[in-house]
Amino acid sequence: MADDKKRPRAERSLAPRTKIYAVDYFAKKHGIPAADARRLIKQHGSDRDAADKAANRLKG
């Protein structure tokens, strides 16, 4: 995603940390390793339902 130049610089710099948080949250939510969570998020993109289903399949 390209930087939105209309947002203040300080606000734009928060994006990378937000993505890391999303991976950690997803991993904790499903009880899977962060590496697996990162792979699932990358594979399914913004489709949360598909990522959740894949994580559930991975768990059990």
Side-chain angles (χ1 to χ4, degrees):
M1 187 163 98
D3 265 353
D4 183 3
K5 301 297 182 185
K6 294 177 185 173
R7 291 177 23 203
R9 181 173 172 81
E11 191 176 322
R12 287 193 314 250
S13 68
L14 294 176
R17 284 183 262 151
T18 306
K19 289 182 181 180
I20 292 169
Y21 174 75
V23 170
D24 290 342
Y25 173 77
F26 187 79
K28 186 176 179 180
K29 175 182 172 183
H30 292 288
I32 60 175
D36 289 339
R38 189 175 297 110
R39 182 180 52 83
L40 289 174
I41 291 171
K42 186 175 182 179
Q43 183 179 10
H44 294 284
S46 62
D47 188 356
R48 284 187 183 212
D49 290 335
D52 286 339
K53 288 177 185 177
N56 286 332
R57 285 193 303 264
L58 187 65
K59 277 194 318 191

